[in-house]
Amino acid sequence: MAEPTPPAWTTGTAPNSFAALPAGRLGTFGGRLMRLLNRSQQRELMTLLGPLAGKDVLEVGPGPGVLLGLLTRTARHVTGVDPSREMRTLAIRAHAVAIAAGRLDVLPGDAGATGLPDAAVDVVVAVNNVAIWPDLDAGVAELHRVLRPGGRLVLSWHGGEQPSRTSRGLVLPEERLQRIENALRARFPDVRRTLTRRCTVFEARTA
């Protein structure tokens, strides 16, 4: 019997499995839908990230792997960790060439347990999943642990200057946004919040 989805820190209740842990045929369909719905946000994030040449990158919760494909174009190596077997399967199928070339790994894991060693990557990215983590502080601590000195954490969530019609109901209230910022400031010396057209983005750097 499958383990129940843990409650999200933002609500205290379990997020729907479609968003948190896609499974089965419905989960696979949801992953394909994510490819379409999140594309503009992922492109905005890539613009914000800038060049990644020579960088090792971790994406937390890559889903079907759209952003993984963008990251592998310039980064030295990319790792994607996702708790959903269906999402990992979609990502692996989409990026078989990069995986075979040793430029990408897609592994089981989540924000609180990436499975990576200490100081393993230069950049960590998470798009549209920080609000459904079970434990915000544990996730931030884990991502801080895997970053190298001078490393960069980028957390993006629905919102921005002009939220899309489909994401307006997902925009977090200021209280929750401030909670994310406070959790980051407890671990990182440099934290800032940025609005793109469709995203509310938190950036944090290690010392």
Side-chain angles (χ1 to χ4, degrees), residues 98-124:
I99 292 170
R103 294 185 290 111
L104 171 66
D105 292 313
V106 178
L107 306 169
D110 58 32
T114 63
L116 272 62
D118 293 351
V121 295
D122 303 291
V123 179
V124 176

Side-chain angles (χ1 to χ4, degrees), residues 62-63 65 68 77-82 84 87-93 95 99 104-108:
L68 289 178
H77 184 269
V78 180
T79 302
V81 296
D82 200 297
S84 167
M87 294 302 97
R88 296 195 302 272
T89 297
L90 287 175
I92 288 168
R93 288 175 179 169
H95 304 298
I99 292 170
L104 171 66
D105 292 313
V106 178
L107 306 169

Side-chain angles (χ1 to χ4, degrees), residues 9-55:
W9 69 269
T10 49
T11 63
T13 60
N16 64 70
S17 58
F18 181 85
L21 191 61
R25 291 182 179 179
L26 182 60
T28 299
F29 171 77
R32 290 172 178 153
L33 187 61
M34 287 178 201
R35 287 175 175 164
L36 300 175
L37 296 179
N38 294 336
R39 195 176 299 274
S40 63
Q41 295 179 15
Q42 290 160 338
R43 287 174 177 166
E44 289 180 6
L45 192 62
M46 285 301 300
T47 299
L48 188 67
L49 285 171
L52 296 169
K55 303 291 186 182

Side-chain angles (χ1 to χ4, degrees), residues 82-185:
D82 200 297
S84 167
R85 180 179 60 186
E86 283 77 6
M87 294 302 97
R88 296 195 302 272
T89 297
L90 287 175
I92 288 168
R93 288 175 179 169
H95 304 298
V97 173
I99 292 170
R103 294 185 290 111
L104 171 66
D105 292 313
V106 178
L107 306 169
D110 58 32
T114 63
L116 272 62
D118 293 351
V121 295
D122 303 291
V123 179
V124 176
V125 182
V127 179
N128 294 343
N129 56 62
V130 62
I132 60 173
W133 294 355
D135 188 325
L136 175 63
D137 295 316
V140 169
E142 169 70 356
L143 302 185
H144 180 275
R145 180 188 68 79
V146 302
L147 277 167
R148 293 168 182 153
R152 183 182 181 193
L153 171 61
V154 180
L155 303 178
S156 177
W157 184 254
H158 305 278
E161 297 171 343
Q162 299 177 29
S164 67
R165 183 178 301 176
T166 57
S167 68
R168 286 172 191 165
L170 299 170
V171 175
L172 292 174
E174 176 59 29
E175 177 189 2
R176 297 288 189 269
L177 296 174
Q178 191 61 53
R179 174 76 176 82
I180 296 172
E181 190 167 326
N182 291 345
L184 292 170
R185 291 191 183 282

